[in-house]
């Protein structure tokens, strides 16, 4: 068995990370192109939101660990119904928002992700960071495909993350909302409509389906 030294190990990690980053960019561009062409089909099923959040965290764990950033999953609300949505797309949206939050957080910062149900029955997943924040003009720019704020250019990326999440939420009849204060941080919210709960009646009619 061939042994590698530390410099070679670092180079291999760099190649792996670069490959993963490139794959993410390619997948984002492909999904965005499909959405714009009306070709991206979603496959809905009952989702345990907290399970999916926990399943998304490892995708950004190395990125956050490298900068000593804590990822906190607030899962105290246990009385929510399941979310009827496409699990792949929801996971992709969560990873995009978490990755953004890590990218723009200070070293040693904290990012909190949580899901809550509103009084009107909407389900809202929030990702909150205490990073550099954005002005209203920067938020408007960040929501446009391939547009990037100055801080976004410095941090790298394609400028597709937030527009892609916005389009994916539209496919779920929901919305992406951003609240940000310069120098204090950003809260990104995925707001799913209350109609998601109607899935229970549909799923009960399907063989082998799991109803929340």
């Amino acid at each position: 068995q061939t042994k590698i030294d530390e410099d070679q190990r670092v180079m291999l990690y760099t190649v792996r990370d670069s490959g993963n980053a490139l794959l993410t960019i390619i997948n984002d561009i492909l999904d965005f192109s499909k959405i714009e062409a009306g070709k991206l089909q979603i496959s809905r099923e009952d989702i345990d939101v907290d399970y999916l959040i926990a399943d998304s965290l490892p995708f950004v764990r190395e990125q956050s660990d490298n900068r000593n950033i804590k990822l906190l999953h607030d899962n105290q609300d246990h009385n929510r119904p399941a979310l009827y949505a496409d699990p792949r797309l929801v996971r992709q949206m969560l990873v995009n928002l978490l990755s953004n939050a890590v990218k723009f957080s200070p070293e040693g910062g904290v990012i909190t992700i949580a899901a809550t149900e509103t009084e009107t029955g909407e389900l809202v997943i929030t990702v909150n960071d205490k990073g550099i924040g954005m002005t209203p003009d920067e938020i408007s720019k960040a929501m446009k495909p391939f547009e990037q704020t100055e801080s976004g250019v410095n941090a790298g990326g394609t400028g597709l993350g937030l527009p892609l999440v916005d389009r994916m939420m539209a496919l779920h009849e929901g919305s992406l909302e951003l609240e940000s204060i310069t120098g204090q941080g950003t809260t990104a919210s995925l707001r799913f409509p209350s109609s998601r709960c109607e899935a229970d009646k549909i799923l009960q009619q399907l063989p082998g389906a799991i109803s929340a």
Side-chain angles (χ1 to χ4, degrees), residues 69-73 98 101-102 105 109-113 127-129:
I69 294 173
K70 293 182 180 179
L71 301 175
L72 300 182
H73 175 195
L98 287 165
V102 171
S105 289
V110 177
I111 294 168
T112 304
I113 182 169
V127 177
N128 173 264
D129 68 66

Side-chain angles (χ1 to χ4, degrees), residues 31-48:
D31 281 338
F32 189 84
S33 299
K34 288 179 182 178
I35 292 174
E36 292 298 276
K39 301 294 185 181
L40 183 64
Q41 309 218 343
I42 64 176
S43 177
R44 299 176 192 258
E45 60 184 73
D46 243 3
I47 298 172
D48 181 323

Side-chain angles (χ1 to χ4, degrees), residues 190-210:
L190 303 178
R191 187 174 293 273
F192 294 89
S194 58
S195 58
R196 76 193 192 286
C197 298
E198 296 174 1
D200 293 339
K201 299 177 183 178
I202 299 173
L203 289 173
Q204 287 170 359
Q205 301 172 7
L206 300 178
I210 299 175

Side-chain angles (χ1 to χ4, degrees), residues 27 63 66 110 120 133 164 206:
N27 286 336
Q63 183 186 0
N66 287 340
V110 177
T120 57
L164 181 59
L206 300 178

